[in-house]
Amino acid sequence: MRTRPLKVALLGCGVVGSEVARIMTTHADDLAQRIGAPVELAGVAVRRPSKVREGIDPALVTTDATALVKRGDIDVVVEVIGGIEPARTLITAAFEHGASVVSANKALLAQDGVALHAVAEQHGRDLYYEAAVAGAIPLIRPLRESLAGDKVNRVLGIVNGTTNFILDKMDSTGAGYQEALDEATALGYAEADPTADVEGFDAAAKAAILAGIAFHSRVRLDDVYREGMTEVTAADFASAKNMGCTIKLLAICERAGDGGSVTARVHPAMIPLTHPLASVRGAYNAVFVESDASGQLMFYGPGAGGAPTASAVLGDLVAVCRNRLSGATGPGESAYAALPVSPMGDVVTRYHISLDVADKPGVLAQVATVFAEHGVSIDTVRQTGKDGEASLVVVTHRASDASLSGTVEALRKLDTVRGVASIMRVEGE
């Protein structure tokens, strides 16, 4: 085993960064044996140097992240500060000064992963980011390496623990959205500003990364259709239960039926209680992968938190350090397929539509006619009502998003339709 240590620079020492430093220290001997050389924490870049950081030598702490990544003796930079800048500039500088990079930055990778991979390749360095999607769950490496000989057709998953906790509470207790969000905030599952989670931005970034790897094509954050979950109600859950379903915020990446394009989307959806994802509770994540040869695979585990995310970071660190010792690099960007990303209007799925209608003869016939005129086939209809008002629930067979949008627009013009209470996709058949 080589005695000269590999030097690691840590950018960020918050919840995840502090756990990375702790594991590097407490598991130093094991890591050295697994890598073939010791690893040494050579510097820690932070914004507030005065804060006490247990287990970290204060002499290693600096506010000058740029100087740290440009030192020239750094073998690996671990970036866990998040956001676009200064992370992008620091990672680029790390490559240019000879370091490989391990990152947990899903937002940056979804937006600028192509450019970062290009810089890494130019300088013969690694860019690993297992921790960017689904926390501790091994997912990036299985897609990029274990399934490299297979053809992945669909990736369907719960990739945000905050939203899953909220929806699970609404399902299991009958709580409203705000009540469930308040509980998630009190327990530390939701940020003070939960927008990135509940509006689907976090999941959309992860979907872009997963789609790019799974389909060997370039998928950016802007290519991902995104719909948040703030409008999901207790009534929606009641309707889902009547169908033998529950509701999850899903990231869905799939090939078109003809294989000539891909789609990537994030939105709430009803899924059957018989589907494995329906049983994912609390703040856990799970991803369902469908491929030609291996069939259906499911990856499940904690999707966030300091220690679980640090576990994924350290796994990448070991792999990158091994590459460093052997003078090799791991898999880079694979975008040879260059499949275009289809718009949401082309996506075909089932729909659950709840309408408020007048309770009088002929309403159902009018509604059915509108669906037929737009080429949308109805699977089931359920109507309840009294005192002149009624609720009509329609579940369709598979239809395109564009045709469903035209149907709903026409329904709103009917005098007998008081309003569209909710529209939700049905997935996981």
Side-chain angles (χ1 to χ4, degrees), residues 154 239-240 242-245 250 252 254 265 267-274 344 346-353 371 376-381 393-401 403-404 423-429:
R154 196 175 197 224
S239 293
N242 285 332
M243 291 178 57
C245 293
L250 298 178
I252 305 169
E254 57 190 351
R265 50 197 165 102
H267 54 71
M270 295 181 180
I271 59 172
L273 294 174
T274 53
M344 187 62 186
D346 292 347
V347 171
V348 175
T349 187
R350 296 175 67 205
Y351 290 87
H352 175 283
I353 305 101
F371 275 88
V376 179
S377 176
I378 294 176
D379 182 17
T380 62
V381 178
V393 175
V394 178
V395 179
T396 74
H397 287 290
R398 293 176 65 82
S400 72
D401 189 80
S403 62
L404 196 282
I423 303 170
M424 191 167 294
R425 296 169 183 85
V426 182
E427 301 283 351
E429 299 173 81

Side-chain angles (χ1 to χ4, degrees), residues 130 133-148 150 152 154-160 164 210 213-214 250-251 275-281 283-291 294-303:
E130 184 68 64
V133 180
I137 304 172
L139 185 58
I140 300 296
R141 194 170 289 118
L143 282 173
R144 190 162 63 173
E145 299 178 29
S146 303
L147 295 175
D150 205 344
V152 176
R154 196 175 197 224
V155 180
L156 171 78
I158 299 165
V159 295
N160 183 279
N164 199 58
L210 291 175
I213 296 171
L250 298 178
H275 193 281
L277 291 179
S279 61
V280 178
R281 312 302 296 268
Y284 275 71
N285 284 192
V287 177
F288 206 68
V289 177
E290 300 174 9
S291 65
S294 59
Q296 298 178 331
L297 305 170
M298 183 165 162
F299 301 83
Y300 169 84

Side-chain angles (χ1 to χ4, degrees), residues 223-238:
D223 295 322
V224 181
Y225 172 83
R226 177 194 55 79
E227 186 180 316
M229 48 155 281
T230 57
E231 301 300 318
V232 176
T233 66
D236 291 326
F237 274 101

Side-chain angles (χ1 to χ4, degrees), residues 114-317:
V114 172
L116 293 176
H117 272 294
V119 178
E121 182 177 2
Q122 177 186 350
H123 294 279
R125 294 295 177 251
D126 279 321
L127 173 60
Y128 276 45
Y129 43 90
E130 184 68 64
V133 180
I137 304 172
L139 185 58
I140 300 296
R141 194 170 289 118
L143 282 173
R144 190 162 63 173
E145 299 178 29
S146 303
L147 295 175
D150 205 344
K151 178 185 177 184
V152 176
N153 296 309
R154 196 175 197 224
V155 180
L156 171 78
I158 299 165
V159 295
N160 183 279
T162 299
T163 54
N164 199 58
F165 178 89
I166 293 170
L167 292 173
D168 183 37
K169 280 295 174 182
M170 293 176 70
D171 184 29
S172 61
T173 69
Y177 166 75
Q178 189 60 51
E179 182 183 353
L181 173 59
D182 290 344
E183 182 175 353
T185 304
L187 293 173
Y189 292 126
E191 301 286 345
D193 179 1
T195 302
D197 295 322
V198 300
E199 293 294 352
F201 290 100
D202 176 85
K206 295 170 182 176
I209 295 170
L210 291 175
I213 296 171
F215 306 132
H216 304 279
S217 301
R218 289 176 174 172
V219 180
R220 291 170 51 88
L221 180 58
D222 292 343
D223 295 322
V224 181
Y225 172 83
R226 177 194 55 79
E227 186 180 316
M229 48 155 281
T230 57
E231 301 300 318
V232 176
T233 66
D236 291 326
F237 274 101
S239 293
K241 287 181 179 179
N242 285 332
M243 291 178 57
C245 293
T246 188
I247 299 172
K248 299 291 186 182
L249 184 75
L250 298 178
I252 305 169
C253 314
E254 57 190 351
R255 293 179 188 268
D258 62 3
S261 64
V262 300
T263 59
R265 50 197 165 102
V266 168
H267 54 71
M270 295 181 180
I271 59 172
L273 294 174
T274 53
H275 193 281
L277 291 179
S279 61
V280 178
R281 312 302 296 268
Y284 275 71
N285 284 192
V287 177
F288 206 68
V289 177
E290 300 174 9
S291 65
D292 276 0
S294 59
Q296 298 178 331
L297 305 170
M298 183 165 162
F299 301 83
Y300 169 84
T309 305
S311 171
V313 170
L314 266 295
D316 278 351
L317 179 63

